[in-house]
Amino acid sequence: MAVLDHPAENVSPPVAQRAPSWATTLDHKQIGILYIITSLIFMAVGGLEALIIRAQLWVPDSHLVGPDMFNQLFTMHGTTMVFFVVMPMLFGFGNYLIPLMIGARDMAFPRLNAFSYWMFAFGGTLTYLSFLAGGAPNVGWFAYAPLTEYAFSRDHSTDYWILGLMVSGIGTTATAVNLVTTILVMRAPGMSLARVPLFVWMMMFDGVLLIFALPPFTAAAIMLLLDRGLGAHFFDTQAGGSALLWQHLFWFFGHPEVYIMALPAFGIISEVVPVFSRKVIFGYESVAAATVVIGVISMGVWAHHMFTVGMSDALDAIFSGASFLIAVPTGIKMFNWIATIYGGKIRMQSPMLFAVGFLAMFLIGGLTGIMLAAVPIDWQVSDSYFVVGHFHYVLFGGSLFAIMAAYYFWFPKMTGRLLSERLARWHFWLMLAGFNLTFFPMHIAGLLGMPRRIYTYSADRGWTIWNQLSTVGAMLLAVSFLFFFWNLFVSWRRGESSGDDPWDAWTLEWATTSPPAHYNFEEIPIVRSRRPLWDLKHPEDPDWEHE
Amino acid sequence: MSEAHLTSAAATGHGHHRGFPAADFNEEHRVQVGMACFICSEAAFFSTLIVAYITYLGKDTIGPTPAEVLRWPLVIAGTIALVSSSFTVHWANSALRQGDLSAFRRWLAATILLGIAFLAGTAAEWRDLIVEHGLTIGTNLFGTTYFTLVGFHALHVTVGVIVLTLMLALSAKRFVSQQHQVGFEVVSWYWHLVDSVWLVVFTVVYVIGR
Ligand code: HEM
Ligand SMILES: [Cu+2]
């Protein structure tokens, strides 16, 4: 029986009434699952694109896909992964978990929530419709002007890119408003901001970052659209417009975006690590404070993506210094997670496996990031495969490993069933091996001078072996994801029943049934500490006596 | 675990949460916080357009320049109208809070008229610029940035006028009462935002930019 919910017969949640239609649902849990499923579909597509990229680079002078198709592939791959996979997947978990974690019955604005989801689904679909309309976007996920100006991009592919991202961006802004409001006003009695789970903390700051970083991107996209459609001159260098302005505006959004994808991942890790180490998180306050510091600094470092465009030395130095600074709060978090694990009674179940994988991979990504923030190194390796290696360690090794931990951790909450540990282990080890085999050699290829976004190379460059390793790694990765999808599929239908609280966790989402009834909690819990469920389970030694 | 250890809101008298499907805490602040977040995102949006405007000030390769075509009298009249409307919408809000519905409707109508007056001024200015001076969004950087910035602001005023008109119509049908004061208050915040943005636009475009 759930700790805080009445037994099913008392409340009799009418199942038939509960799930009338997914298309019109306003329930945060259903919307969360819609987000998760849709982003999984996009992940399969984006992964397929990556595989074709890697297949093309398998041998020198390959003619598998032409240069034009290659441009479309890497543009759509990057765009998809950032906007239609990682972000919506995080929103999916946020949507599902936040009301449960703070003891609320729904998000602050359920209708707006559904609106956001449909804007994302529509924006993503719109971007892909370009394939039917003569060609997908082929200008990179950063869509640098003036390459994206009408003069150089005469078909409609760039318009699809702009409109698709604008539509989903409006939905995302709405999500951000919803997240911040929900967390600020919907908390259960006693759940002060100093007591919310760290995942909630980080999702709130994610919302804040989005609120300030996304509208400038929308504005820039509108400017580009006006240039293309109405003959405006924002980025038209012939008329005095500036290509640099696009870069500044894009990266003013683009860099915080990295943290928008990373903060919720940090939040997931901050939930998983304590539960599987059987210890309270080490330094709750410093983890939360580091979130704020990261958020603030991340708004001020965008130009480290532009060291090679020839800004002044002074500007380079300022942005380089600010970028180094980010390592401090990030290091604090790393320290806290490791200190939480240290001396704990560690249970190496699948969520913890992926969490530890995250720690190691994200560390490597962070270190190469520090290297890139040093201007002379960046000048040397900018736009080479070194960069591709770096950001995949951050985005894939960081965000996606954490998201995988989230799947294994919260799947029982959503379905009432456990994912198979055996399949999870296959998934994990294949993914870890495949991941490193794919992305580590990219650093070397990059140092050997292999530029980013080239569709082929000649045999005398010495890049062949590194590309072949990468491609083999990508195949391994693909296989590992087959295990993941298969696991989701079979466990959802006939996985082992999990009970309400399979991990003996401490946060409120585990206090209700799995899956939760439509209204989450029959009785809204009163919260007295950061681990309300611990207090309920251990009345003889509750946390709040020590706080 | 025994039932005795359950702590719940009901047990301590916070019983108002009962009932299906939802009952929220701090419900009264929900709309305000949501609107505050939205206003922040709008401010970020307009800041970007303003940055673009400032970036391109005086970078034009061909005319006309702002000093050649922007006229003071009309825009000053429009500015006075819009600034006054911030006061009238505030008074409408106070009247609604006190339950004085007829005063509410009067101030609301005044706000709408002032908003429309401002839009009329913008329309007249645009007609002048386009027809008399041949300045369009494609003419030069000034045209590009001017029409984008002022256009998006005017679009926001238009949305505001539509919402306020809807509220006036609803209140004439007796659908708006004191209990909707919070709803009206956040609409008035939006109106103040549009007004503040205009003051920045005015300063940048008509004072500095000229
Ligand atoms: C199966 C896993 C993946 C493989 C094999 C893969 C492979 C690649 C390769 C080879 C490129 C470089 C294309 C080029 O510059 O020529 C690339 C670009 C990129 N990838 Fe991935 N990737 C994978 C997963 C991800 C994930 C999970 C993300 C997460 C957000 C991601 C984000 C990006 C981005 C943003 C780009 C830049 C695209 C551009 O330059 O426009 N990738 N990927
Ligand atoms: Cu960056």
Side-chain angles (χ1 to χ4, degrees), chain A residues 462-482:
Chain A
W463 304 335
T464 314
I465 178 67
W466 307 111
N467 276 296
Q468 297 194 331
L469 289 176
S470 272
T471 302
V472 173
M475 299 297 158
L476 266 187
L477 267 176
V479 175
S480 81
F481 273 89
L482 292 182

Side-chain angles (χ1 to χ4, degrees), chain A residues 1 3 105 108-109 177 181 185-187 189 211 215-216 226 231-234 239-240 242 245 249 519 523-524 526 536 539, chain B residues 1 3 5-9 12 17-18 20-21 24-26 30 33-34 37 41 48-49 52 56 137-138 141 144 148:
Chain A
M1 175 198 129
V3 182
R105 294 213 155 118
F109 307 105
V177 170
T181 310
V185 306
M186 306 289 281
R187 281 165 290 130
I211 284 172
L226 292 175
H233 304 293
F234 281 106
S242 154
L245 182 69
L249 294 182
Y519 42 83
E523 288 179 5
I524 298 295
I526 287 217
L536 287 175
Chain B
M1 174 170 326
E3 292 288 323
H5 295 128
L6 296 187
T7 36
S8 76
T12 53
H17 69 284
R18 285 193 159 271
F20 186 80
D24 317 323
F25 303 97
N26 299 321
R30 203 171 49 115
V33 175
C37 293
S41 77
T48 312
L49 297 184
Y56 290 142
I137 195 167
L141 280 174
T144 294
T148 307

Side-chain angles (χ1 to χ4, degrees), chain A residues 31-44 81 84-94 96-97 101 120 199 264-265 267-269 271-272 276 349-355 358 396 398-421 423-424 427-428 431 480-481 483-489 491-492 498 502-503 509-510:
Chain A
I31 293 174
I33 289 176
L34 282 175
Y35 262 115
I36 289 173
I37 292 178
T38 315
S39 57
L40 278 175
I41 296 171
F42 277 116
M43 185 168 88
M81 288 299 185
F84 307 136
V85 177
V86 175
M87 269 215 284
M89 226 174 241
L90 293 167
F91 292 155
F93 281 101
Y96 195 99
L97 293 170
M101 283 181 159
F120 146 61
F199 178 71
I268 292 166
I269 297 303
E271 297 306 317
V272 169
F276 289 87
Q349 283 157 302
S350 45
M352 185 64 168
L353 266 184
F354 280 93
F358 161 90
F396 194 142
S399 298
L400 210 60
F401 265 73
I403 289 174
M404 290 301 138
Y407 274 102
Y408 288 96
F409 190 48
W410 282 299
F411 185 84
K413 179 79 316 193
M414 300 179 179
T415 63
R417 292 176 189 279
L418 288 167
L419 283 165
S420 150
E421 274 295 313
L423 292 175
H427 173 201
F428 176 75
M431 181 160 147
S480 81
F481 273 89
F483 278 94
F484 173 61
F485 280 109
W486 178 243
N487 199 351
L488 286 182
F489 183 68
S491 303
W492 169 59
S498 66
W503 315 115
E509 76 270 29
W510 303 102

